[in-house]
Amino acid sequence: MDALKPGSPYQPIIEELSNYPQKRFYNVSKLGGTKYDILPYSIRVLFESSIRNCDGFLVKETDAMNILDWKTKQNDVEVPFCPARVVLQDFTGIPAMVDFAAMREAVRNAGGDPVKVNPACPTDLTVDHSLQIDFSKCAIQNAPNPGGGESQKPTAKLSPLKGQPRKLPCRGQSSCKGPCSAGELSRASGQFSAQIENTPILCPFHLQPVPEPETVLKNQEMEFGRNRERLQFFKWSSKVFKNTSIIPPETGMAHQVNLEYLSRVVFDVKDFLYPDSVVGTDSHTTMVNGLGILGWGVGGIETEAVMLGMPVTFTLPEVVGCELTGTASPLATSIDIVLGITKHLRQAEVAGKFVEFFGSGVSQLSVADRTTIANMCPEYGAILSFFPVDNVTLKHLKHTGFDEAKLEVTEAYLKAVKLFRNDESSSREPEYSQVVQINLSSIIPHVSGPKRSQDRVAVNNMKSDFQTCLNEKAGVKGFQIAAEKQNDVVPVQYEGNQYELSHGCVVIAAVISCTNNCNPSVMLAAGLLAKKAVEAGLEVKPYIRTSLSPGSGMVTHYLSSSGVLPYLSKLGFEVVGYGCSTCVGNTAPLPEAIRNAIKQGDIIACGVLSGTKNFEGRLCDCVRANYLASPPLVVAYAIAGTVRIDFETEPLGTGFNGRSIYLRDIWPTRKELHTVEEECVISSMFKELKEKMEKGNKRWNSLEAPESPLFPWDLKSTYIRCPSFFDKLAKEPVSPQPIENAHVLLYLGDSVTTDHISPAGSIARSSAAAKYLTNKGLTPREFNSYGARRGNDAVMTRGTFANIKLLNKFIGKPAPKTIHFPSGQTLDVFEAAELYQKEGIPVIILAGKKYGLGSSRDWAAKGPFLLGVKAVLAESYEKVHKSQLIGIGIAPLQFLPGENPNTLGLTGREQFSILFPPELSPKMTLEIKTSTGKVFSVFALFENDVEITLYKNGGSLNFVARRFL
């Protein structure tokens, strides 16, 4: 949206930023007195947007005042929101960009200047949904001794790691030229200021750069080959459209790129400042709220509307204040805290509301923690979870490469408009619809086991719980060990030393960074704990099968850069490869002496791993108790050698000088973790992404694309096709035309979802879309998916109402079929619609309650429009979908209360005539006449003047196109 709307009534409150006179902004904090001061921070962002974009039509002064009066107007009024930018992924982005290309064509044909047709706000499209896995190979199959074992143990004593380089011994892999230097990557003790070198893929054993795997290269080659037409169109778009950037394949996922590269926090457009905000077609868009950027996921229609310069309209929401207090348990990892907060919010019933965090505990959360919590919104149903910008955010931005001068302006602006949160400030907290209090000290770490992942055990109860398991009858938790045998000890000789095994002894310990443990902080916590343990003189017994299986080369990279990898190795946690290992049972056999001792004494031996699977006997047939734990706890239990330990009162072991070392003595603090994470991980990730963005990649850079202002449509293309939304575009809109003698295309029941309507998934071989593609010379193998062909309206129209679960009352069973009247033929929905159009007969849809439920989908409105649907007559609508129908030019009509097709005696076989008056008004009543002589009234669900204007213009696309004529 424009930084300055011409003729805005609020221009008198534009000010210069203190100490930066060239910078200007709307000082919205001067409006409303104390009303503004008590607004939640997230609502203040909405308010600023309404002030800046107030034009008297799309955004009115009453809208701005309604937001200012949020305390009394929440859940009561609809408000417009003009986000600062839009984020798209390629599946949902291509129809939007195709529409803009078609609009240029239509504007040129109507006598306008097509070059003026551009997105109204910054639009970033990430090509991240095109990759398909045609080739795959598990890295673990090539790793020596994949389960870890004796051959992996270091044979030489490590020298003290006080900033001195050392060589890792080469294991003689043919693909590597070891020994490889670890000193260049390791850190001096206690210092973590170096950057990670941008090595895309590392050898698992020598940390040396290696060529990209053949699998990656083959999949990338297939991606570019399969999607060449779409990629050429995207590249053309990036060249000709202003306000548009295309992030090419192989760069990253949409939500990660949004978070790590596209986020501005504060926009600075021609020295005018305003808050960053975003809507996106990716459900993970909410992650940016962890950076203090208001944003959430919406459908393709809404994002396209914003690109066209129109607001997103929604009900002014309740805002739940989530107060974080107390101090997190020292043993609680970031994952524990994130899942604990998620659990509390799920119980607090925050569905459909904003959540905003405040309180002394917020500063304990890193930006990585905050973005993870914000990303979990679907888990607890909130629209978004907002963390206002604070000092933690600024520190993070500094490490991500924000220019120092820009950072200073950002901080000054946010403080000027009271969007900066400061724990030390005496200013009052905002008022919230309700407050949920979460004491971080109540969030305690858990492990899961000993046989099922759903059986959670608090770490501080681990010793007593294991004792209970020994006592309990054999079953889902119990082992039924006789009381007199529960303290049995079995001596065992191993590598020339005497050891003792007892119930609860740890014999497998695997650190795996998969799924829930891929957060850098938990892997770093394991490494820092190992470092402190080695420095304190602690060791892991040599018979314990230890292993380290990172989820990617990047994990190895930051473990090495932070200087902790050699310490993990010293304790036996050496990198064994990249792939699923211990938790899928790929563990090397235990040493024979250990196996024999376990079986001889009927010992309940334990495995501890940071994976996802812990079923009995999965790791090894003689290991009956298996626990899932965080990576640092895996290391801790390996050092202790048993799960029958109370970490609070019992030492892990004996260190140098015979001193007892407790877990609390070596557990890394959250401050240490945040420092390492920000300085060794975050900065490198952002540097690498920035380089990718600036350099692109060879395939994308060499891809040829036209540079003409109008796209040269290829009539033979089955991916990109000029849609017919603008076929009747004229400079002035015509008055709403009557719908005369319309047939019912579909007679549907209750709860018809957008999934029933919109094309999605694979293209069935018997479908109308398949017939179209076959006629174009394609084989079923070449059909690809509806998502990949969203730029071709001919495919998408044929896929509309093609869901096999569609229940059409004309047919009487689930099938994507309907009956053509009056011929009585049973046809595919598209074929019937096409026949009606050839006959010049309009069509409507009859439906029951809650028509259009489910996720917002652009083709759930576009598809019916292109099928020739002029109106939908339903008992009730999903609100968002109702607005989308208007936005495409379909009239949403609703039966009067207590009426429906049954009560009115309608069969759906009649013809319907609907007369629109010359002037429409909000919520007016219309009259419908049927061919059987029945007359009844319905509501026309136009809520306001904007919706009426859009409908009269034939939808938002034509409304905006006329602005360029």
Side-chain angles (χ1 to χ4, degrees), residues 300-372:
I301 287 279
E302 291 93 334
T303 49
E304 191 167 343
V306 175
M307 292 167 66
L308 293 167
M310 305 182 68
V312 174
T313 301
F314 66 110
T315 302
L316 191 62
E318 294 181 41
V319 182
V320 177
C322 184
E323 183 179 13
L324 302 182
T325 60
T327 303
S329 163
L331 301 186
T333 66
S334 292
I335 299 299
D336 293 319
I337 292 172
V338 167
L339 294 180
I341 291 173
T342 298
K343 178 182 176 181
H344 279 282
L345 290 175
R346 191 185 297 118
Q347 294 170 343
E349 298 181 354
V350 297
K353 304 173 185 178
F354 283 9
V355 174
E356 186 169 295
F357 290 85
F358 71 102
S360 59
V362 174
S363 59
Q364 297 180 47
L365 302 180
S366 69
V367 168
D369 297 337
R370 299 175 186 192
T371 55
T372 306

Coordinates of all heavy atoms in Angstrom, one line a residue, residues 300-372:
G300 N -5.9 -17.4 -1.3 CA -5.4 -16.7 -2.5 C -6.2 -15.5 -2.9 O -5.6 -14.5 -3.4
I301 N -7.5 -15.6 -2.7 CA -8.4 -14.4 -3.1 C -8.0 -13.2 -2.3 O -7.9 -12.1 -2.8 CB -9.8 -14.8 -2.9 CG1 -10.3 -15.8 -4.0 CG2 -10.7 -13.5 -2.9 CD1 -10.7 -15.1 -5.3
E302 N -7.8 -13.4 -0.9 CA -7.5 -12.3 -0.1 C -6.1 -11.7 -0.4 O -6.0 -10.5 -0.4 CB -7.5 -12.7 1.4 CG -8.9 -13.1 2.0 CD -9.2 -14.5 1.8 OE1 -8.7 -15.2 0.9 OE2 -10.0 -15.0 2.6
T303 N -5.1 -12.5 -0.6 CA -3.8 -12.0 -0.9 C -3.8 -11.3 -2.3 O -3.2 -10.2 -2.4 CB -2.7 -13.1 -1.0 OG1 -3.2 -14.2 -1.8 CG2 -2.4 -13.7 0.4
E304 N -4.6 -11.8 -3.2 CA -4.7 -11.1 -4.5 C -5.4 -9.8 -4.4 O -5.0 -8.8 -5.0 CB -5.4 -12.0 -5.5 CG -5.3 -11.5 -7.0 CD -5.7 -12.6 -8.0 OE1 -5.8 -13.8 -7.7 OE2 -6.0 -12.1 -9.1
A305 N -6.4 -9.7 -3.5 CA -7.0 -8.5 -3.2 C -6.1 -7.4 -2.7 O -6.1 -6.3 -3.1 CB -8.2 -8.7 -2.3
V306 N -5.2 -7.9 -1.8 CA -4.2 -6.9 -1.2 C -3.3 -6.5 -2.3 O -2.9 -5.3 -2.4 CB -3.5 -7.6 0.0 CG1 -2.4 -6.7 0.5 CG2 -4.4 -7.9 1.1
M307 N -2.8 -7.4 -3.1 CA -2.0 -7.0 -4.3 C -2.7 -6.0 -5.2 O -2.0 -5.2 -5.8 CB -1.6 -8.3 -5.1 CG -0.7 -9.3 -4.3 SD -0.6 -10.9 -5.2 CE 0.2 -10.4 -6.7
L308 N -4.0 -6.1 -5.2 CA -4.8 -5.2 -6.1 C -5.0 -3.8 -5.4 O -5.6 -2.9 -6.0 CB -6.1 -5.8 -6.4 CG -6.0 -7.0 -7.4 CD1 -7.4 -7.7 -7.4 CD2 -5.6 -6.6 -8.8
G309 N -4.5 -3.7 -4.1 CA -4.7 -2.4 -3.4 C -5.9 -2.4 -2.5 O -6.3 -1.3 -2.1
M310 N -6.5 -3.6 -2.2 CA -7.7 -3.6 -1.4 C -7.3 -4.2 0.0 O -6.4 -5.0 0.1 CB -8.7 -4.4 -2.1 CG -9.0 -3.9 -3.5 SD -10.4 -4.8 -4.3 CE -11.7 -4.3 -3.3
P311 N -8.1 -3.9 1.0 CA -7.9 -4.4 2.3 C -8.4 -5.8 2.5 O -9.3 -6.3 1.8 CB -8.6 -3.4 3.2 CG -9.7 -2.9 2.4 CD -9.2 -2.9 1.0
V312 N -7.9 -6.5 3.6 CA -8.5 -7.7 4.1 C -9.5 -7.2 5.2 O -9.2 -6.4 6.0 CB -7.4 -8.6 4.7 CG1 -8.1 -9.8 5.4 CG2 -6.4 -9.1 3.7
T313 N -10.7 -7.7 5.1 CA -11.7 -7.4 6.0 C -12.0 -8.5 7.0 O -12.2 -9.7 6.5 CB -13.0 -6.9 5.3 OG1 -12.7 -5.8 4.4 CG2 -14.1 -6.5 6.3
F314 N -12.0 -8.2 8.3 CA -12.3 -9.3 9.2 C -12.9 -8.7 10.5 O -12.9 -7.4 10.7 CB -11.0 -10.1 9.6 CG -10.0 -9.3 10.3 CD1 -9.7 -9.5 11.6 CD2 -9.3 -8.3 9.6 CE1 -8.7 -8.8 12.3 CE2 -8.3 -7.6 10.2 CZ -8.0 -7.8 11.6
T315 N -13.5 -9.5 11.3 CA -14.1 -9.0 12.6 C -13.0 -8.6 13.6 O -12.0 -9.3 13.8 CB -14.9 -10.1 13.2 OG1 -16.0 -10.6 12.3 CG2 -15.6 -9.7 14.5
L316 N -13.2 -7.4 14.1 CA -12.2 -6.9 15.1 C -12.1 -8.0 16.2 O -13.1 -8.2 16.9 CB -12.6 -5.6 15.7 CG -11.6 -4.8 16.5 CD1 -10.4 -4.4 15.7 CD2 -12.3 -3.5 17.1
P317 N -10.9 -8.6 16.4 CA -10.8 -9.8 17.3 C -10.6 -9.4 18.8 O -10.2 -8.4 19.1 CB -9.6 -10.5 16.7 CG -8.7 -9.4 16.3 CD -9.6 -8.3 15.8
E318 N -11.0 -10.4 19.6 CA -10.5 -10.4 21.0 C -9.0 -10.6 21.0 O -8.5 -11.2 20.1 CB -11.2 -11.5 21.8 CG -12.7 -11.3 21.9 CD -13.3 -12.5 22.8 OE1 -12.7 -12.8 23.8 OE2 -14.4 -13.0 22.4
V319 N -8.4 -10.0 22.0 CA -6.9 -10.2 22.2 C -6.7 -10.8 23.6 O -7.0 -10.2 24.6 CB -6.1 -8.9 22.0 CG1 -4.6 -9.2 22.2 CG2 -6.4 -8.3 20.7
V320 N -6.2 -12.0 23.6 CA -5.9 -12.7 24.9 C -4.4 -12.3 25.3 O -3.5 -12.6 24.5 CB -6.0 -14.2 24.7 CG1 -5.6 -14.9 26.0 CG2 -7.5 -14.5 24.3
G321 N -4.3 -11.7 26.4 CA -3.0 -11.4 26.9 C -2.4 -12.6 27.6 O -3.0 -13.2 28.5
C322 N -1.2 -13.1 27.2 CA -0.6 -14.2 27.8 C 0.6 -13.7 28.6 O 1.6 -13.3 28.1 CB -0.1 -15.2 26.7 SG 0.6 -16.7 27.4
E323 N 0.4 -13.7 29.9 CA 1.5 -13.1 30.8 C 2.4 -14.3 31.2 O 2.0 -15.3 31.9 CB 0.8 -12.5 32.1 CG 1.9 -11.9 33.0 CD 1.3 -11.2 34.2 OE1 0.1 -11.5 34.5 OE2 2.0 -10.5 34.9
L324 N 3.7 -14.1 30.9 CA 4.7 -15.1 31.3 C 5.4 -14.5 32.5 O 6.0 -13.4 32.5 CB 5.7 -15.3 30.1 CG 5.1 -15.8 28.8 CD1 6.2 -16.0 27.8 CD2 4.3 -17.1 29.0
T325 N 5.5 -15.3 33.5 CA 6.1 -14.9 34.8 C 7.1 -16.0 35.2 O 7.1 -17.1 34.6 CB 5.1 -14.7 35.9 OG1 4.4 -15.9 36.1 CG2 4.2 -13.6 35.5
G326 N 7.8 -15.8 36.2 CA 8.7 -16.8 36.8 C 9.9 -17.1 35.9 O 10.2 -16.4 34.9
T327 N 10.7 -18.0 36.4 CA 11.9 -18.4 35.7 C 11.8 -19.9 35.3 O 11.5 -20.7 36.1 CB 13.2 -18.2 36.6 OG1 13.2 -16.8 37.0 CG2 14.4 -18.5 35.8
A328 N 12.2 -20.1 34.1 CA 12.1 -21.5 33.6 C 13.1 -22.4 34.4 O 14.1 -22.0 34.8 CB 12.4 -21.6 32.1
S329 N 12.6 -23.6 34.5 CA 13.5 -24.6 35.2 C 14.8 -24.7 34.5 O 14.9 -24.6 33.2 CB 12.8 -26.0 35.2 OG 13.8 -27.0 35.4
P330 N 16.0 -24.8 35.2 CA 17.3 -24.8 34.5 C 17.4 -26.0 33.5 O 18.1 -25.9 32.6 CB 18.2 -25.0 35.7 CG 17.5 -24.5 36.9 CD 16.1 -24.8 36.7
L331 N 16.7 -27.1 33.8 CA 16.7 -28.2 32.9 C 15.8 -28.2 31.7 O 15.8 -29.0 30.8 CB 16.5 -29.5 33.7 CG 17.4 -29.8 34.9 CD1 17.0 -31.2 35.4 CD2 18.8 -29.8 34.5
A332 N 14.9 -27.1 31.7 CA 13.9 -27.0 30.7 C 14.5 -26.5 29.4 O 15.2 -25.4 29.4 CB 12.8 -26.1 31.1
T333 N 14.4 -27.2 28.3 CA 14.9 -26.7 27.0 C 13.9 -25.8 26.3 O 12.8 -25.7 26.8 CB 15.2 -27.9 26.1 OG1 14.0 -28.6 25.7 CG2 16.2 -28.9 26.8
S334 N 14.3 -25.3 25.2 CA 13.4 -24.4 24.4 C 12.2 -25.2 24.0 O 11.1 -24.7 24.0 CB 14.1 -23.9 23.2 OG 15.1 -22.9 23.6
I335 N 12.4 -26.5 23.6 CA 11.3 -27.3 23.2 C 10.3 -27.5 24.4 O 9.1 -27.5 24.2 CB 11.8 -28.7 22.7 CG1 12.7 -28.5 21.5 CG2 10.6 -29.6 22.4 CD1 12.0 -27.8 20.3
D336 N 10.8 -27.8 25.6 CA 9.9 -27.9 26.7 C 9.1 -26.7 26.9 O 7.9 -26.8 27.2 CB 10.8 -28.1 28.0 CG 11.5 -29.5 28.0 OD1 10.9 -30.5 27.6 OD2 12.7 -29.5 28.4
I337 N 9.7 -25.5 26.8 CA 9.0 -24.3 27.0 C 7.9 -24.0 26.0 O 6.8 -23.7 26.2 CB 10.0 -23.1 27.1 CG1 10.8 -23.2 28.4 CG2 9.3 -21.7 27.1 CD1 12.0 -22.3 28.5
V338 N 8.3 -24.2 24.7 CA 7.4 -24.0 23.6 C 6.2 -24.9 23.7 O 5.0 -24.5 23.6 CB 8.1 -24.2 22.2 CG1 7.1 -24.3 21.1 CG2 9.1 -23.1 22.0
L339 N 6.4 -26.2 24.0 CA 5.3 -27.1 24.1 C 4.5 -26.9 25.3 O 3.3 -27.1 25.3 CB 5.8 -28.6 24.1 CG 6.5 -29.0 22.8 CD1 7.0 -30.5 22.9 CD2 5.6 -28.9 21.6
G340 N 5.1 -26.4 26.4 CA 4.4 -26.1 27.6 C 3.5 -24.9 27.4 O 2.3 -25.0 27.8
I341 N 3.9 -23.9 26.7 CA 3.1 -22.7 26.5 C 2.0 -23.1 25.5 O 0.8 -22.7 25.7 CB 4.0 -21.6 25.9 CG1 4.9 -21.0 27.0 CG2 3.1 -20.5 25.3 CD1 5.9 -20.0 26.5
T342 N 2.3 -23.9 24.5 CA 1.3 -24.4 23.5 C 0.2 -25.1 24.3 O -1.0 -24.9 24.0 CB 1.9 -25.3 22.5 OG1 2.9 -24.5 21.8 CG2 0.9 -25.8 21.5
K343 N 0.5 -26.0 25.2 CA -0.4 -26.8 25.9 C -1.4 -25.8 26.7 O -2.6 -26.0 26.7 CB 0.3 -27.7 26.9 CG -0.7 -28.6 27.7 CD 0.1 -29.5 28.7 CE -0.8 -30.2 29.6 NZ -0.1 -31.1 30.6
H344 N -0.8 -24.8 27.4 CA -1.6 -23.9 28.2 C -2.6 -23.1 27.3 O -3.7 -22.9 27.6 CB -0.7 -22.9 28.9 CG -0.1 -23.4 30.2 ND1 -0.8 -23.5 31.4 CD2 1.1 -23.9 30.5 CE1 -0.1 -24.0 32.3 NE2 1.1 -24.3 31.8
L345 N -2.1 -22.7 26.1 CA -3.0 -21.9 25.2 C -4.1 -22.8 24.6 O -5.2 -22.3 24.4 CB -2.1 -21.3 24.1 CG -1.2 -20.1 24.6 CD1 -0.3 -19.7 23.4 CD2 -2.0 -19.0 25.2
R346 N -3.8 -24.0 24.4 CA -4.8 -24.9 23.9 C -5.9 -25.0 24.9 O -7.1 -25.1 24.5 CB -4.2 -26.3 23.5 CG -5.2 -27.2 22.8 CD -4.6 -28.6 22.6 NE -3.4 -28.5 21.8 CZ -2.2 -28.9 22.2 NH1 -2.0 -29.4 23.4 NH2 -1.1 -28.9 21.4
Q347 N -5.6 -25.1 26.2 CA -6.6 -25.2 27.2 C -7.3 -23.9 27.5 O -8.4 -23.9 28.0 CB -5.9 -25.7 28.5 CG -5.3 -27.1 28.4 CD -4.4 -27.5 29.6 OE1 -3.9 -26.6 30.3 NE2 -4.1 -28.8 29.8
A348 N -6.7 -22.8 27.1 CA -7.3 -21.5 27.3 C -8.4 -21.1 26.3 O -9.0 -20.1 26.5 CB -6.2 -20.4 27.4
E349 N -8.6 -21.9 25.3 CA -9.6 -21.7 24.3 C -9.4 -20.3 23.6 O -10.3 -19.4 23.8 CB -11.0 -21.8 24.9 CG -11.3 -23.2 25.5 CD -12.7 -23.3 26.1 OE1 -13.4 -22.3 26.1 OE2 -13.1 -24.4 26.4
V350 N -8.4 -20.2 22.9 CA -8.1 -18.9 22.2 C -8.4 -19.0 20.7 O -7.9 -18.1 20.0 CB -6.6 -18.6 22.4 CG1 -6.3 -18.3 23.9 CG2 -5.7 -19.6 21.8
A351 N -9.1 -19.9 20.3 CA -9.4 -20.1 18.8 C -10.1 -18.8 18.3 O -11.0 -18.3 18.9 CB -10.4 -21.3 18.6
G352 N -9.6 -18.4 17.1 CA -10.2 -17.2 16.5 C -9.8 -15.9 17.1 O -10.4 -14.9 16.8
K353 N -8.9 -15.9 18.0 CA -8.5 -14.7 18.7 C -7.0 -14.3 18.4 O -6.2 -15.2 18.0 CB -8.7 -14.8 20.2 CG -10.1 -15.2 20.6 CD -10.3 -15.5 22.0 CE -11.7 -16.0 22.4 NZ -11.8 -16.4 23.8
F354 N -6.6 -13.1 18.7 CA -5.2 -12.7 18.7 C -4.7 -13.1 20.1 O -5.4 -13.1 21.1 CB -5.0 -11.2 18.6 CG -5.1 -10.7 17.2 CD1 -5.6 -11.5 16.1 CD2 -4.8 -9.4 16.9 CE1 -5.7 -11.0 14.8 CE2 -4.9 -8.9 15.6 CZ -5.3 -9.7 14.6
V355 N -3.4 -13.6 20.2 CA -2.8 -13.8 21.5 C -1.6 -12.8 21.5 O -0.9 -12.7 20.5 CB -2.3 -15.2 21.6 CG1 -1.4 -15.4 22.9 CG2 -3.5 -16.2 21.7
E356 N -1.4 -12.2 22.6 CA -0.2 -11.3 22.7 C 0.5 -11.5 24.1 O -0.1 -11.7 25.1 CB -0.7 -9.8 22.7 CG 0.4 -8.8 22.7 CD -0.2 -7.4 22.4 OE1 -0.7 -7.2 21.2 OE2 -0.1 -6.5 23.2
F357 N 1.8 -11.6 24.0 CA 2.6 -12.0 25.1 C 3.2 -10.7 25.9 O 3.6 -9.8 25.2 CB 3.8 -12.9 24.7 CG 3.3 -14.2 24.3 CD1 2.9 -14.5 23.0 CD2 3.3 -15.3 25.2 CE1 2.4 -15.7 22.6 CE2 2.8 -16.5 24.8 CZ 2.4 -16.8 23.5
F358 N 3.2 -10.8 27.2 CA 3.8 -9.8 28.0 C 4.2 -10.4 29.3 O 4.0 -11.6 29.6 CB 2.8 -8.6 28.2 CG 1.6 -9.0 29.2 CD1 1.6 -8.6 30.5 CD2 0.5 -9.7 28.7 CE1 0.6 -8.9 31.4 CE2 -0.5 -10.1 29.6 CZ -0.5 -9.6 30.9
G359 N 4.8 -9.6 30.1 CA 5.3 -10.1 31.4 C 6.8 -10.3 31.5 O 7.5 -10.3 30.5
S360 N 7.3 -10.5 32.7 CA 8.8 -10.5 32.9 C 9.4 -11.8 32.2 O 10.6 -11.8 32.0 CB 9.0 -10.6 34.4 OG 8.4 -11.7 35.0
G361 N 8.6 -12.8 32.0 CA 9.2 -14.0 31.4 C 9.4 -13.9 29.9 O 10.2 -14.8 29.4
V362 N 8.9 -12.9 29.3 CA 9.0 -12.9 27.8 C 10.5 -12.7 27.4 O 11.0 -13.3 26.4 CB 8.2 -11.7 27.2 CG1 8.5 -11.5 25.7 CG2 6.7 -12.0 27.4
S363 N 11.2 -11.9 28.2 CA 12.6 -11.6 27.9 C 13.5 -12.9 28.0 O 14.6 -12.9 27.5 CB 13.2 -10.5 28.8 OG 13.1 -10.9 30.1
Q364 N 13.0 -13.9 28.6 CA 13.7 -15.2 28.7 C 13.7 -16.0 27.4 O 14.4 -17.0 27.2 CB 13.2 -16.0 29.9 CG 13.4 -15.4 31.2 CD 12.8 -16.3 32.3 OE1 13.1 -17.5 32.3 NE2 12.0 -15.8 33.2
L365 N 12.7 -15.6 26.5 CA 12.6 -16.4 25.3 C 13.4 -15.8 24.2 O 13.3 -14.5 23.9 CB 11.1 -16.4 24.9 CG 10.1 -16.9 25.9 CD1 8.7 -16.8 25.3 CD2 10.4 -18.4 26.2
S366 N 14.2 -16.6 23.5 CA 14.9 -16.1 22.3 C 13.9 -15.9 21.2 O 12.8 -16.3 21.2 CB 16.0 -17.1 21.9 OG 15.3 -18.3 21.4
V367 N 14.4 -15.2 20.1 CA 13.6 -15.0 19.0 C 13.2 -16.3 18.3 O 12.1 -16.5 17.8 CB 14.2 -14.1 17.9 CG1 13.5 -14.1 16.6 CG2 14.3 -12.6 18.5
A368 N 14.1 -17.3 18.4 CA 13.8 -18.6 17.8 C 12.7 -19.3 18.6 O 11.8 -19.9 18.0 CB 15.1 -19.5 17.9
D369 N 12.7 -19.1 20.0 CA 11.6 -19.6 20.8 C 10.3 -18.9 20.4 O 9.2 -19.6 20.2 CB 11.8 -19.3 22.3 CG 13.0 -20.1 22.8 OD1 13.4 -21.1 22.2 OD2 13.6 -19.6 23.8
R370 N 10.3 -17.6 20.2 CA 9.1 -16.8 19.9 C 8.5 -17.2 18.6 O 7.3 -17.3 18.5 CB 9.4 -15.3 20.0 CG 10.0 -14.8 21.3 CD 10.4 -13.4 21.3 NE 11.0 -13.0 22.6 CZ 11.3 -11.7 22.9 NH1 11.0 -10.7 22.0 NH2 11.8 -11.4 24.0
T371 N 9.4 -17.3 17.6 CA 8.8 -17.6 16.3 C 8.3 -19.1 16.2 O 7.3 -19.3 15.5 CB 9.9 -17.5 15.2 OG1 11.1 -18.3 15.5 CG2 10.3 -16.0 15.0
T372 N 8.9 -19.9 17.0 CA 8.3 -21.3 17.1 C 6.9 -21.3 17.8 O 6.0 -22.0 17.3 CB 9.3 -22.2 17.9 OG1 10.6 -22.2 17.3 CG2 8.8 -23.7 17.9

